Amino acid sequence: MSDIATIAAKVSDLKRHYAKRDTETGQLRALRAGDWESLAPGAFTEDYPAPMVANRIDVMARDVAASLAALPSVSCAAAGGSSDRTKKFAEKRTKIANHYIGTSNLVAHQTDAADSYNYYGMLVYFVEPDLKNKRPTIRVRHGGNVYAVWDGFGDTILAAEEWETTKFNLLDQYPHHRDLLEKSTNDKIKVIRYSDRQRTVIYLPDLGDTVLVDYPSPIPGKCQYVCIPRPSGTGATFNSVPRGAYVDLIYPQLARHEFTNLMLEAAYKAVQAPTVVPQDVTHVPYGPDAVIATQNPAGVRPPRLDIPQAAFQAMQTLDQDMAIGGMSPEARTGNIQASVITGKGIEAASAGYSAQIANAQTMIGFGLMLAVQRCFCLDEYLWPNTQREVKGIENGIPFIDTYVASKDIKGDLSVEVTYGFMLGMAPNNALVFLLQASAAGLISKDFASRNLPVGVNPTEESRKIMLEQLQNTTIQAVASLAQAIPQFVMNNQDPMPIIKALAEIQKRIQKGDSLEEIVVDVFAPEPPPPAA
C-alpha cells in the first residue's frame, strides 16, 4: 500500500471507532440548527411546523461557553532561582507566550473552543506556522470533526479532521490543483487533514485520495493537534470516545415540545368547545350578550374539559431533569425562588454549576499549556536566529519587545496556564482568601499578585509599587522641610532658601515636571565661585 492509502485506512479505522460519537454529534447539530424534524419525524404539523418551546439545550450551552470563554493567565516561572537574570528570562518567555495568544486572536475564538469542549465533548487546538509573519499560530478547530488518539500522559499522538468546503475555496488555496478541482461536479468537497508526530497530510477522499499538501511535522516529535476530551466518567478520559454534555437531554427536549403541543391543543379545545343546550332550544344565538330562551337555563353550558394536574407536573419534572442533567440551575435563567433569594441561597443553588466550570477550566488550561509549548518548540525549530518583535497585553499591561528564539526560549518549554483562585471561586472570595494568606505569611506577594482575580503583570506592578513608595518618601522629606521653618526663625537663621525651594517645587509640579527632576534641580548645590 502507498503512504496515502495507509493513512486513509487509518482514518477509516478512527471513524469506525468514533461512529457512535458521530451519530450523537449529528443529533446535537440538528437540534442546535432547529432541524428537529430529523430527530422526531412527524412531531410537527402544518399548524405548528417549528418547535413550540425554547431550545433549552442551546441556551445552556451558550451560557456555559460564555462562562468558560475568559482566557486564563499565561506565565513562565523563573526556574533555577530568583535572581534577576532568571526573572528576566522568564519574563521574556512570558511575553512571547502571550504574543502567541494575542496574534492568534484567541480572545475572539475562545468562546468557540469552550463551546466545542462542552457541547461536542472535545477541545481542539491546531498549531501551525504563519510563514508570512514568521510566528506560530494557534487555531481553534471544531471538536465534532476531529478523531484523536492520546498517549498515557494526555498528549495527542495523532488526529484526523474532516470537514466540507466549497470548490472555490480549494481553488484559491491550492491553485496548482486547478485541473483536478475543476473536474469535480460537486460544489461541496470533503477534506481530511491527518497529522501525527512525523508528518501532516491534507487529501480529498472523494477524489481518489488526492493529496493537496504533504509535509513533515514542523514541531519535532509532536502532532500539530492538541485535543482535550471532556472527562467521560469511566476513569479513562484519554482512552475513551468523548461525549457532549447534552447528549442525554435531546429526547427530554423533544418531550417538552410534545407536552407544549398537547397543552396548546387542550387550550384550543377549551376555547372552541360547542355549547350544550337542553332539547327545548331550537335556535342558539352567537356573540356577546346573546339571549337563549329555555325552560332549563341550568342546562346551558359548555362541555367540561378537565386537564389533569399530572400533565403540568410532568412538564415541571422535565424542566428539572434538564436543569440537573445540564448542570444549569434555575438561577442562571433568572428564575429564582424567594426562598433562595439570599446570597447564601443562590450560592448553594449554583454549587454544581461552579464545580462544572472549575473542572472545565482545568482541562482547558491543560490544553492551552500544551498548545503554547508546541508554539515554543515550533518557533525555535523554524526561526531560531531570526529577531522578531513581540507586542500584546500581558496580564492587562501592554508591552512591546524583541526576541530571538534560540536565545530567549533556549529549549525551555515550561509554561504555567492557570485561572488562579478564580477556579471555582467567586472573585470577591478569591481576593479575601489571597489577602488573608498573604497577611499570615503563607504566600509571597509575588504569588498573590499572579493569582489575583484580575489581570496584573506582577513584575511591572512591583516596579510601580517601589516607585510610588520612593516618591511618597521624597514628598514626605520635602514636606518635613516646611516644618523646620519656625525653628530656623527662632534660631535667627534665614528660612528663605527653604521657602524658595518649596515655591520652586510647587511651580515645577504645576508645569508637569517629574518629581525626580524637580528634586535634583532644586536641591543641587550652588556652583563654586570662579577662581581668582
Side-chain angles (χ1 to χ4, degrees):
M1 295 178 67
S2 62
D3 289 345
I4 185 59
T6 304
I7 291 175
K10 189 180 297 185
V11 172
S12 298
D13 291 340
L14 273 175
K15 293 181 66 175
R16 281 192 292 269
H17 181 64
Y18 276 77
K20 183 179 179 182
R21 194 284 305 264
D22 287 346
T23 302
E24 294 173 345
T25 298
Q27 293 176 338
L28 289 171
R29 282 175 170 163
L31 185 72
R32 200 160 204 182
D35 185 17
W36 294 18
E37 180 68 28
S38 62
L39 300 174
F44 300 91
T45 63
E46 293 182 358
D47 295 332
Y48 304 109
M52 299 301 298
V53 294
N55 196 335
R56 182 77 179 272
I57 294 178
D58 183 61
V59 172
M60 290 189 295
R62 291 181 184 277
D63 179 47
V64 174
S67 300
L68 295 174
L71 285 171
S73 173
V74 178
S75 61
C76 299
S82 58
S83 63
D84 291 339
R85 181 174 175 272
T86 55
K87 284 184 177 180
K88 289 181 179 179
F89 179 65
E91 184 179 356
K92 179 63 73 68
R93 288 193 302 114
T94 299
K95 291 181 179 180
I96 297 172
N98 283 277
H99 175 69
Y100 296 153
I101 294 174
T103 54
S104 300
N105 296 322
L106 284 188
V107 174
H109 299 297
Q110 191 65 13
T111 301
D112 293 332
D115 183 79
S116 177
Y117 171 83
N118 189 60
Y119 194 78
Y120 297 103
M122 188 158 60
L123 170 77
V124 180
Y125 291 126
F126 184 74
V127 180
E128 62 180 348
D130 183 353
L131 299 178
K132 179 180 179 181
N133 298 303
K134 296 183 178 180
R135 65 191 178 207
T137 303
I138 303 174
R139 305 294 186 194
V140 173
R141 307 302 297 172
H142 195 294
N145 297 339
V146 177
Y147 311 88
V149 179
W150 299 273
D151 61 11
F153 299 98
D155 196 11
T156 306
I157 299 174
L158 61 90
E161 181 183 4
E162 180 182 275
W163 73 94
E164 282 189 348
T165 186
T166 62
K167 179 170 64 175
F168 303 102
N169 285 338
L170 291 177
L171 286 171
D172 181 64
Q173 296 176 20
Y174 308 101
H176 52 286
H177 289 285
R178 178 175 297 275
D179 295 338
L180 175 68
L181 294 173
E182 287 182 345
K183 293 179 181 179
S184 176
T185 58
N186 298 326
D187 292 334
K188 294 286 187 178
I189 299 178
K190 186 182 297 183
V191 183
I192 292 180
R193 175 164 50 200
Y194 170 86
S195 177
D196 57 21
R197 293 176 173 177
Q198 286 77 36
R199 64 193 296 194
T200 298
V201 180
I202 301 177
Y203 65 96
L204 307 177
D206 295 338
L207 297 178
D209 294 335
T210 301
V211 177
L212 298 178
V213 175
D214 186 356
Y215 59 90
S217 175
I219 311 171
K222 294 291 184 181
C223 174
Q224 286 187 258
Y225 281 96
V226 175
C227 305
I228 304 297
R230 182 175 170 269
S232 60
T234 60
T237 299
F238 293 99
N239 291 323
S240 60
V241 177
R243 294 187 79 221
Y246 308 107
V247 173
D248 298 328
L249 302 181
I250 294 176
Y251 290 99
Q253 174 77 23
L254 295 174
R256 292 180 71 246
H257 166 75
E258 291 288 342
F259 267 100
T260 302
N261 281 344
L262 292 174
M263 293 171 64
L264 285 172
E265 184 179 356
Y268 176 82
K269 289 182 178 180
V271 173
Q272 301 293 336
T275 302
V276 178
V277 297
Q279 294 183 355
D280 63 336
V281 177
T282 60
H283 177 71
V284 180
Y286 292 94
D289 301 326
V291 178
I292 300 177
T294 177
Q295 296 178 358
N296 184 16
V300 180
R301 58 177 178 80
R304 294 186 59 184
L305 186 65
D306 297 330
I307 301 176
Q309 292 296 322
F312 298 99
Q313 294 175 359
M315 191 71 169
Q316 294 177 357
T317 302
L318 284 174
D319 289 338
Q320 293 174 0
D321 287 342
M322 292 194 68
I324 294 173
M327 291 295 288
S328 180
E330 293 293 332
R332 301 296 303 176
T333 61
N335 185 13
I336 303 175
Q337 298 180 1
S339 59
V340 295
I341 205 165
T342 61
K344 284 294 182 182
I346 296 176
E347 183 177 352
S350 303
Y353 181 83
S354 299
Q356 178 192 18
I357 295 300
N359 179 266
Q361 285 176 338
T362 300
M363 301 301 291
I364 292 175
F366 176 65
L368 191 57
M369 180 195 72
L370 294 179
V372 173
Q373 287 179 346
R374 278 166 164 74
C375 287
F376 278 145
C377 188
L378 186 150
D379 201 351
E380 192 173 9
Y381 179 70
L382 293 182
W383 307 286
N385 300 316
T386 303
Q387 182 174 345
R388 281 154 293 157
E389 183 181 75
V390 292
K391 60 176 63 176
I393 298 177
E394 177 193 356
N395 295 325
I397 306 298
F399 67 85
I400 182 170
D401 205 342
T402 58
Y403 78 101
V404 177
S406 60
K407 173 185 175 183
D408 296 311
I409 298 176
K410 209 173 181 179
D412 190 349
L413 307 181
S414 60
V415 62
E416 295 179 359
V417 179
T418 176
Y419 286 86
F421 287 94
M422 285 288 287
L423 191 66
M425 187 182 294
N428 293 337
N429 297 339
L431 183 59
V432 172
F433 181 86
L434 281 173
L435 293 175
Q436 291 175 344
S438 179
L442 301 177
I443 58 176
S444 64
K445 291 184 178 180
D446 180 75
F447 180 83
S449 61
R450 291 180 183 276
N451 289 275
L452 283 173
V454 293
V456 172
N457 185 332
T459 305
E460 187 68 23
E461 289 300 318
S462 177
R463 294 195 189 104
K464 290 181 179 179
I465 290 172
M466 289 189 293
L467 179 61
E468 289 177 354
Q469 290 176 346
L470 290 174
Q471 288 177 341
N472 291 335
T473 302
T474 303
I475 292 173
Q476 292 175 2
V478 172
S480 63
L481 289 177
Q483 300 176 1
I485 293 176
Q487 190 69 27
F488 271 64
V489 175
M490 294 176 62
N491 294 334
N492 295 323
Q493 293 178 325
D494 185 11
M496 289 305 299
I498 298 178
I499 297 175
K500 290 180 178 180
L502 294 176
E504 182 64 21
I505 291 175
Q506 293 179 23
K507 291 179 181 179
R508 296 282 296 275
I509 290 177
Q510 290 176 353
K511 292 180 180 179
D513 296 342
S514 64
L515 182 63
E516 297 81 1
E517 295 177 355
I518 296 173
V519 173
V520 171
D521 294 342
V522 171
F523 294 101
E526 296 183 1

